[in-house]
Amino acid sequence: MADQLCGSAVIGEGRFGCNHFEWQPEDPAPVLGFNHMKERMIMVMGFQFWKQTAALAAASFLALAIGGEALAWESTKVYYNNQGQLQYAVDSDANRIVDFSYAGYHRGERDIPDSSAISPVLNVSPVTGDNTTALQQALNTVAAWPLNANGIRGVVLLAAGDYPVHGTLRINASGVILKGAGFDDDPALNTVLRRPLLTTTNKNPVLVAGGNLSSNWSGGDTPQNRRDITSSIVSVCNRSFTVASTAGLAAGDNIIIKHPSTQAWIDSVGGGGTAGDPSWTVDSLPLVFNRYITGISGNTVTIDAPLTNKLNRSLSQSYLYKYDRAGLLTEIGVENLQITIDTASPTSENHAEDALVFNTVEDSWVNRVKVKHFVNKGIVLQTSSRVTVQNSYSVEPHSKDEGGRRYNFGVESGQLNLFVNNLAQQGRHSYFGNGATWDSGNVFLDNTAKDSYDVSEPHRKWGHGFLYDNHKELDLRGTNKIVLGLYNRGDYGTSHGWSAANSVLWNCDVGKGKAIIEHPPTAENYAIGCKGNISGTGGPFRSVIPTTTGFIEGTGQTQLSIPSLYRVQLAERLGYTYPAVADAFVRAGSFSATNYGSAASMELKNSDNSKYDRDIYLKLDYTGYSRGQIGKAYLMFYVDYSEPKQPLSFYGLANDNWSEDTITWDTAPSAAGAIVTGTVEVSATGWYSVDVTDYIKSQTDKMASFKVTDRSQANVLARISSKESTAYGKPFLVISPQ
């Protein structure tokens, strides 16, 4: 006997898909779960009475789900389709979520260089007294060495020790890596660059890397070098458009795209939404994009990374020009050291304002650096693109708790930069953008803010295309403060107005704080799958402008099918997704010698009578993954049928020696010694994911086999779509280098 009740009920931002029931003759009598109740009522009470009773049972079941059951939850704005491909919804204003995967060192397409394998190396030890001259001489020495094929000159390797630095150190050439022995506090084991408290105050940064121009990529913007963009609209995330002439342009050219801030554009965004402050002014806030040409066909130009804001020719005539790259430096690395600033007290300000500044830099990195006791900025990227800042600490700022202070990690005219796995402490703006319309495409991934005084945000004047992905707040100073903001800042500062557009909070946890998401004119902001107080109604200028709520969904969901937006976007773009090469389910009892390798749907069940049990086996081949680093790995699978609350356990096996054409319950590989990768509770149809990072990292042959089982003994059935399915997506592995 088989029966099927199909329907879809929306619960807040969650969804239930079709629930199916299948009772096979060998199965025990169904007694648990809503579908089992339904089957028994059909048999005993008749269809009409069942419909009424089932409706009540369904209502009770759905109410239980609202109470916190983990569901397969996907955003309506970006999600996997049935074939396992990312899909994006576009609203009536042609707004959509940006593809953020181009952020980071070489657009995320290369690993940061392994400095331990780079030569030549200049070894340096601390000297007595001020080390500024000795360290600068070492940096200048390596700066004079020739570039290798990868654009690297060599490494200045600092021994452990305390290095008093009275002045400012400058890395003033491409291809120079400054590396220490460690970034913790003990100078006996680590490298500490220390600005002492001097009789004559030096408020300049301790270390500056780059060209020191702060040009906002303006070099080359002359009338004769401009090419008008003739497309009437270039929508968010587009990479192609037409120009008046492609003469003199070629693939590989570094270009700047500029959308001037005309009065018409300013009017379209409500004057900037500045509340009582003056409106934004003509030519003060152009939308600027630093890009490379990847192709030319006729008058159509294709660029390397998508736009993060719409270009509307009816509001402003956009154009492009070839960037002259004057003063731009590349392939600079700062690693494995600490920068600390001596101060008179935790609230004093008579000391260095900034610790580490990257200025006019591209394709560079900061890794394992700790900065302490700055007034204004800890680690900041100015007029910089495609820089990765990772595994670093910006902590214990020493200053008053006032404006213009305690900016831990961020950008000022920064584009396509990636901040990943960092810790900010006691910040007013822990993770920020402060370059107005020149800021775009920046990603903050897996970062933590602790003891926050104020909000992480694009800070002012239309920063666009920011992603906060898996951001976490800990130990907030006070309660219910705004700690993440994509909103209107009105007359804060100097006419800050709309600070963010086309920006996203994804799977963030605001702890005891709150996030405010507001809808800017002509654009959108999003908060998807976040935890805590996520609102569009608590903005500081909502009653003045007035503002409306941005797009918010999935608040409180604990089981997102896409755990990290940046990672799945990067994996899909670079081809780091690996479908199952073998999959099958096996069945106990009288079917223990039967092979189900050709089934389109794989069954899972665990009964109090083991002869009815069914397990699933998956094999995935990722030998095509050539990157040296694995940041995260997710196993994605599509549940095409599930009964309520079924916990699936995933075991990473040591044995890949099985075939889907021959595997049975009797011949299946043992799970002895298997790595338990996690448990996922399935309660509805849809895509699910499980983090299998540690297991994938352990497989030196780049082959992965999983046993999937249900140990609940609840007599419930789930089915996972197999690689043979034509209706739903096959299981696949997602690997992200970050």
Side-chain angles (χ1 to χ4, degrees):
M1 178 187 298
D3 183 66
Q4 179 172 308
L5 175 67
C6 286
S8 179
V10 178
I11 309 171
E13 286 88 23
R15 291 179 293 181
F16 278 93
C18 294
N19 280 322
H20 306 273
F21 174 73
E22 183 177 345
W23 182 24
Q24 301 190 31
E26 188 190 34
D27 289 346
V31 294
L32 296 175
F34 169 64
N35 286 299
H36 293 156
M37 293 167 58
K38 177 192 72 176
E39 180 68 25
R40 289 169 67 87
M41 285 186 282
I42 289 175
M43 292 187 291
V44 176
M45 302 177 183
F47 181 69
Q48 185 61 38
F49 181 74
W50 169 79
K51 281 203 301 184
Q52 298 169 357
T53 311
L56 293 173
S60 299
F61 173 62
L62 298 186
L64 287 172
I66 294 173
E69 182 180 3
L71 303 179
W73 186 85
E74 291 185 296
S75 170
T76 60
K77 292 297 184 181
V78 54
Y79 52 90
Y80 281 113
N81 65 16
N82 283 354
Q83 299 308 309
Q85 300 165 327
L86 289 175
Q87 299 290 299
Y88 298 83
V90 180
D91 68 20
S92 58
D93 292 324
N95 295 313
R96 54 156 284 182
I97 286 180
V98 172
D99 182 351
F100 291 99
S101 69
Y102 297 82
Y105 180 72
H106 284 279
R107 308 179 197 89
E109 296 163 10
R110 299 187 197 175
D111 292 333
I112 288 173
D114 178 4
S115 58
S116 65
I118 292 174
S119 61
V121 174
L122 179 62
N123 290 287
V124 178
S125 296
V127 299
T128 302
D130 183 9
N131 279 249
T132 306
T133 299
L135 291 176
Q136 191 62 57
Q137 287 176 346
L139 291 169
N140 293 345
T141 296
V142 175
W145 292 350
L147 294 168
N148 67 17
N150 296 316
I152 304 293
R153 300 179 193 274
V155 180
V156 177
L157 183 59
L158 305 183
D162 177 58
Y163 294 76
V165 177
H166 295 200
T168 296
L169 298 175
R170 297 189 181 277
I171 301 176
N172 51 25
S174 296
V176 176
I177 300 172
L178 177 63
K179 181 179 181 179
F183 73 142
D184 287 332
D185 294 340
D186 183 359
L189 302 173
N190 302 277
T191 300
V192 180
L193 305 181
R194 180 172 56 85
R195 171 69 60 78
L197 190 60
L198 304 170
T199 303
T200 302
T201 300
N202 182 359
K203 293 195 172 187
N204 294 321
V206 178
L207 176 60
V208 175
N212 197 31
L213 292 178
S214 297
S215 65
N216 290 338
W217 306 286
S218 60
D221 185 7
T222 60
Q224 62 270 25
N225 198 21
R226 296 172 182 170
R227 307 285 194 281
D228 282 351
I229 294 175
T230 56
S231 298
S232 58
I233 296 286
V234 185
S235 297
V236 171
C237 230
N238 274 12
R239 292 176 49 227
S240 295
F241 46 82
T242 58
V243 295
S245 171
T246 58
L249 300 177
D253 284 347
N254 188 178
I255 60 169
I256 306 300
I257 299 165
K258 189 170 183 178
H259 179 278
S261 54
T262 62
Q263 190 61 55
W265 179 77
I266 293 169
D267 291 344
S268 76
V269 296
T274 57
D277 268 12
S279 296
W280 297 344
T281 57
V282 171
D283 291 334
S284 64
L285 293 169
L287 301 171
V288 172
F289 304 89
N290 181 11
R291 297 292 188 267
Y292 285 78
I293 295 176
T294 59
I296 296 175
S297 177
N299 281 356
T300 298
V301 171
T302 300
I303 55 177
D304 61 324
L307 300 185
T308 53
N309 203 94
K310 182 190 307 179
L311 306 183
N312 187 336
R313 196 179 185 195
S314 70
L315 300 177
S316 177
Q317 176 59 65
S318 299
Y319 60 89
L320 64 81
Y321 58 90
K322 291 174 68 171
Y323 178 35
D324 66 12
R325 297 173 65 87
L328 178 70
L329 302 185
T330 63
E331 304 296 342
I332 291 175
V334 179
E335 304 180 354
N336 214 34
L337 56 81
Q338 180 178 141
I339 299 173
T340 191
I341 300 163
D342 291 346
T343 72
S345 76
T347 57
S348 69
E349 298 186 341
N350 198 27
H351 53 270
E353 293 189 347
D354 306 332
L356 174 57
V357 178
F358 272 42
N359 193 303
T360 318
V361 166
E362 182 179 85
D363 290 330
S364 297
W365 69 94
V366 177
N367 186 27
R368 290 178 54 82
V369 171
K370 180 189 285 187
V371 299
K372 297 169 60 176
H373 303 166
F374 53 92
V375 174
N376 189 350
K377 295 180 284 286
I379 298 176
V380 63
L381 311 179
Q382 299 172 337
T383 313
S384 294
S385 300
R386 303 186 334 205
V387 177
T388 293
V389 179
Q390 65 182 25
N391 307 321
S392 294
Y393 292 11
S394 181
V395 297
E396 301 175 34
H398 282 190
S399 75
K400 300 173 184 176
D401 178 16
E402 296 179 1
R405 296 159 174 84
R406 297 176 180 254
Y407 293 72
N408 299 67
F409 292 96
V411 297
E412 294 175 338
S413 299
Q415 299 191 4
L416 304 178
N417 298 298
L418 174 65
F419 295 79
V420 57
N421 194 35
N422 300 297
L423 172 66
Q425 183 188 41
Q426 298 174 6
R428 293 190 70 255
H429 304 294
S430 297
Y431 300 95
F432 68 90
N434 199 22
T437 53
W438 287 269
D439 285 343
S440 66
N442 298 296
V443 173
F444 296 89
L445 172 67
D446 277 1
N447 296 299
T448 299
K450 187 175 182 181
D451 300 327
S452 295
Y453 285 71
D454 213 326
V455 57
S456 291
E457 62 187 3
H459 191 55
R460 62 189 179 96
K461 299 182 179 180
W462 209 263
H464 45 104
F466 276 66
L467 171 64
Y468 292 84
D469 187 334
N470 281 266
H471 174 97
K472 188 172 185 178
E473 289 283 338
L474 296 176
D475 303 329
L476 176 67
R477 291 183 175 243
T479 58
N480 212 33
K481 287 184 176 181
I482 301 174
V483 293
L484 284 173
L486 306 176
Y487 60 160
N488 183 283
R489 287 178 52 85
D491 63 4
Y492 287 171
T494 53
S495 300
H496 283 188
W498 284 106
S499 63
N502 300 322
S503 295
V504 180
L505 310 184
W506 188 279
N507 200 13
C508 296
D509 187 343
V510 299
K512 295 180 180 179
K514 63 182 176 182
I516 300 298
I517 314 301
E518 294 180 331
H519 170 73
T522 76
E524 187 58 284
N525 290 316
Y526 308 83
I528 295 176
C530 297
K531 300 171 184 66
N533 185 354
I534 314 297
S535 174
T537 61
F541 293 91
R542 185 176 179 88
S543 62
V544 179
I545 303 301
T547 64
T548 58
T549 300
F551 185 86
I552 300 173
E553 67 173 354
T555 301
Q557 292 290 342
T558 59
Q559 196 161 283
L560 277 66
S561 60
I562 298 177
S564 165
L565 180 60
Y566 172 81
R567 289 187 172 109
V568 300
Q569 288 179 327
L570 181 66
E572 181 169 276
R573 178 170 67 87
L574 299 183
Y576 300 155
T577 58
Y578 304 95
V581 295
D583 55 15
F585 77 94
V586 297
R587 186 170 177 178
S590 60
F591 297 90
S592 65
T594 302
N595 171 259
Y596 295 96
S598 61
S601 190
M602 300 178 289
E603 298 181 0
L604 268 173
K605 189 170 189 176
N606 190 40
S607 170
D608 50 9
N609 187 336
S610 62
K611 69 179 182 178
Y612 306 122
D613 290 353
R614 285 150 242 182
D615 292 333
I616 290 174
Y617 287 82
L618 307 172
K619 186 188 297 185
L620 303 104
D621 179 347
Y622 56 103
T623 54
Y625 185 78
S626 59
R627 299 286 287 269
Q629 176 176 302
I630 294 176
K632 284 286 186 181
Y634 305 120
L635 178 61
M636 309 294 301
F637 59 98
Y638 190 91
V639 174
D640 59 48
Y641 162 62
S642 176
E643 294 171 356
K645 290 188 175 181
Q646 189 170 6
L648 309 186
S649 296
F650 289 75
Y651 295 84
L653 303 178
N655 182 4
D656 299 317
N657 189 25
W658 59 273
S659 167
E660 70 171 11
D661 297 327
T662 58
I663 189 172
T664 67
W665 184 275
D666 294 336
T667 64
S670 169
I675 298 173
V676 180
T677 59
T679 297
V680 177
E681 185 175 272
V682 299
S683 303
T685 59
W687 283 102
Y688 289 78
S689 63
V690 60
D691 188 332
V692 295
T693 305
D694 290 342
Y695 171 69
I696 293 300
K697 286 181 176 180
S698 73
Q699 301 305 290
T700 56
D701 63 352
K702 297 185 180 180
M703 293 288 291
S705 285
F706 295 93
K707 177 183 179 180
V708 190
T709 188
D710 170 12
R711 288 290 172 257
S712 66
Q713 294 189 337
N715 288 338
V716 292
L717 180 72
R719 291 200 296 256
I720 293 176
S721 177
S722 80
K723 71 182 186 66
E724 283 75 22
S725 173
T726 58
Y728 303 109
K730 63 187 69 176
F732 65 96
L733 184 66
V734 172
I735 301 180
S736 170
Q738 290 291 347

